[in-house]
Amino acid sequence: LRGDEGTYRGGITLAQNLPNNDKPSLKIGGGRRNVYHRQIRISTSPEAKIKRQKRLDATLCKELHQYYNQEADHWFTIGHENVHSLGPKSGTEALGKYKNIIEENKADMGSLALLDVLVELGMYSPEEKKQILVTYAADNFLKAKPNLSQAHRVRTVMQSKYFLENKAVWLNEDGVLEIDMEKMVPTAQKMLAEIIRVQLSKDFATGEKYVLDNFVWTDEMEIISKKLKEIDKSLNGTLKTPLADKLAQEI
């Protein structure tokens, strides 16, 4: 990225259709075309790279930095999008306003829960599995508590709380994130089983209770949040376009 866009926007998300993207959907008799897209996140500016390193230094145990890899976020997202095509395929509408929050949780946990199988199949190496786990955990803390209308962010809080409770992640005495690699996949599998049971219940009250029980902003999240805001106080990106603004005024 160059110019104003490169200066004020450190990353961009693209969507790329994978080859034969309809075939898997047709074969299983369901799914969506966009499940077979690949998301690509690119951080290009020097400022973005410096900010990312500051964030890691402030929030992630130094020994785990070697496993942080932005490419691993792509691998995780491929799993996430494909898990959306797995069941339950009907009845989740009964979960009402919690449907999307629960579904996004399912997709994330499915992506992690399948990692051991994918390593056995040779899709990922054991090293790449560690990269996926560390990158996921390190990026799963927010600057501020979201509201219930933000499904993707709400699921992030729910997952962080769940992994903290299950001792898969924790903050050490320096207030930085530690990760138990051996507990990450089993914890994801445990949460995935709970989520699918909620979806199969087709019951609004069950879904509401599950979300509200896990949508808890913990002390650990607050500690990380304060550190993230010290590095970057903005909650949303901004784009300054003086030329466009000037032209708009002259029209």
Side-chain angles (χ1 to χ4, degrees):
L1 298 180
R2 296 292 184 268
D4 284 344
E5 184 78 351
T7 301
Y8 294 102
R9 185 175 180 182
I12 189 167
T13 299
L14 306 174
Q16 173 185 329
N17 284 330
L18 297 178
N20 303 318
N21 56 47
D22 284 334
K23 288 186 178 180
S25 183
L26 292 171
K27 187 172 182 179
I28 66 174
R32 303 172 301 177
R33 285 184 63 118
N34 65 359
V35 168
Y36 306 106
H37 289 181
R38 178 180 179 183
Q39 285 186 306
I40 306 168
R41 296 181 180 90
I42 307 170
S43 294
T44 56
S45 72
E47 293 83 359
K49 293 177 182 177
I50 292 171
K51 190 180 294 184
R52 182 166 60 247
Q53 188 57 52
K54 285 182 178 179
R55 179 171 59 81
L56 291 177
D57 291 340
T59 62
L60 183 65
C61 174
K62 194 74 173 178
E63 289 73 21
L64 295 174
H65 285 203
Q66 61 182 308
Y67 299 117
Y68 186 88
N69 179 5
Q70 281 195 300
E71 179 68 15
D73 180 51
H74 307 163
W75 306 332
F76 171 80
T77 302
I78 292 170
H80 170 104
E81 297 299 342
N82 279 281
V83 170
H84 274 313
S85 273
L86 304 180
K89 294 183 179 179
S90 64
T92 58
E93 294 79 8
L95 300 174
K97 65 182 181 180
Y98 300 108
K99 173 189 171 183
N100 290 337
I101 295 172
I102 293 168
E103 175 63 22
E104 292 301 331
N105 265 295
K106 184 197 80 176
D108 275 357
M109 292 303 97
S111 185
L112 295 181
L114 293 170
L115 278 178
D116 287 340
V117 174
L118 295 177
V119 170
E120 289 178 11
L121 293 172
M123 182 171 179
Y124 299 123
S125 68
E127 181 80 1
E128 288 169 337
K129 172 189 167 183
K130 290 180 180 179
Q131 291 174 355
I132 293 171
L133 293 174
V134 170
T135 304
Y136 159 81
D139 288 346
N140 220 36
F141 286 83
L142 303 174
K143 291 182 187 177
K145 183 179 180 179
N147 59 58
L148 283 171
S149 68
Q150 298 169 292
H152 287 75
R153 290 179 175 270
V154 169
R155 62 101 190 269
T156 297
V157 173
M158 293 173 65
Q159 292 165 18
S160 292
K161 184 246 188 191
Y162 197 90
F163 278 71
L164 285 163
E165 280 186 343
N166 283 272
K167 312 298 184 190
V169 302
W170 68 95
L171 298 190
N172 64 22
E173 62 275 7
D174 296 320
V176 296
L177 192 67
E178 299 268 10
I179 300 170
D180 187 332
M181 297 286 196
E182 298 303 316
K183 288 185 178 180
M184 289 293 288
V185 171
T187 300
Q189 292 171 341
K190 180 182 174 184
M191 190 175 193
L192 177 62
E194 292 178 7
I195 291 164
I196 292 176
R197 280 195 291 269
V198 170
Q199 289 183 315
L200 290 173
S201 76
K202 303 177 183 179
D203 179 65
F204 178 84
T206 300
E208 181 175 56
K209 184 177 187 306
Y210 188 76
V211 170
L212 297 183
D213 283 351
N214 287 284
F215 181 48
V216 178
W217 189 257
T218 68
D219 292 341
E220 293 90 344
M221 294 179 206
E222 184 63 23
I223 290 170
I224 296 292
S225 169
K226 288 179 179 178
K227 291 184 175 186
L228 292 175
K229 282 185 278 194
E230 286 176 4
I231 296 167
D232 183 2
K233 292 182 171 58
S234 64
L235 295 180
N236 298 290
T238 58
L239 182 63
K240 297 182 180 179
T241 55
L243 178 58
D245 295 341
K246 182 175 184 297
L247 291 174
Q249 291 173 356
E250 293 176 354
I251 293 176

